[in-house]
Amino acid sequence: MKGRLSGIQKQVLSLHRSLLRAARAKPPETREQIERFVNAEFRKNAAIDKKNYQQIEYLIRRGQKQLEMVRTSDGFSVVEVK
């Protein structure tokens, strides 16, 4: 088993879980679209160097904005949040 998770790793995992939980509140077809998008984004960004804190923090902020959009919208559209 690997060592303990860092604070930033815990933030990333928490954001991932929150996005998937928010998806559960949506209709089935929307939920599946959100889940595919979330999982693809997290997999795509998993290769980022763990010491690139600036990029990781940017992605966390972007993910938090997307989480709010998922929570407050009736539908789902993939929007580039900057």
Side-chain angles (χ1 to χ4, degrees):
M1 182 172 174
K2 292 185 179 184
R4 292 181 172 207
L5 296 175
S6 70
I8 207 158
Q9 288 172 319
K10 288 178 184 178
Q11 270 186 284
V12 169
L13 292 174
S14 175
L15 177 60
H16 186 259
R17 283 191 306 270
S18 295
L19 282 159
L20 294 177
R21 281 190 194 113
R24 283 191 222 138
K26 303 297 176 189
E29 56 282 345
T30 305
R31 175 182 19 213
E32 291 171 12
Q33 181 183 7
I34 294 169
E35 289 170 350
R36 280 194 305 271
F37 174 75
V38 168
N39 289 326
E41 284 295 303
F42 275 81
R43 278 191 207 101
K44 179 178 80 175
N45 292 309
I48 292 175
D49 181 14
K50 292 179 182 177
K51 295 183 182 192
N52 189 348
Y53 299 114
Q54 186 175 11
Q55 179 70 19
I56 295 168
E57 288 174 359
Y58 163 76
L59 290 169
I60 289 172
R61 285 191 308 274
R62 191 177 89 180
Q64 289 168 338
K65 288 177 184 177
Q66 289 173 330
L67 174 59
E68 281 306 308
M69 286 178 15
V70 169
R71 285 181 174 161
T72 60
S73 68
D74 291 335
F76 176 73
S77 61
V78 178
V79 178
E80 181 67 24
V81 179
K82 293 184 180 187

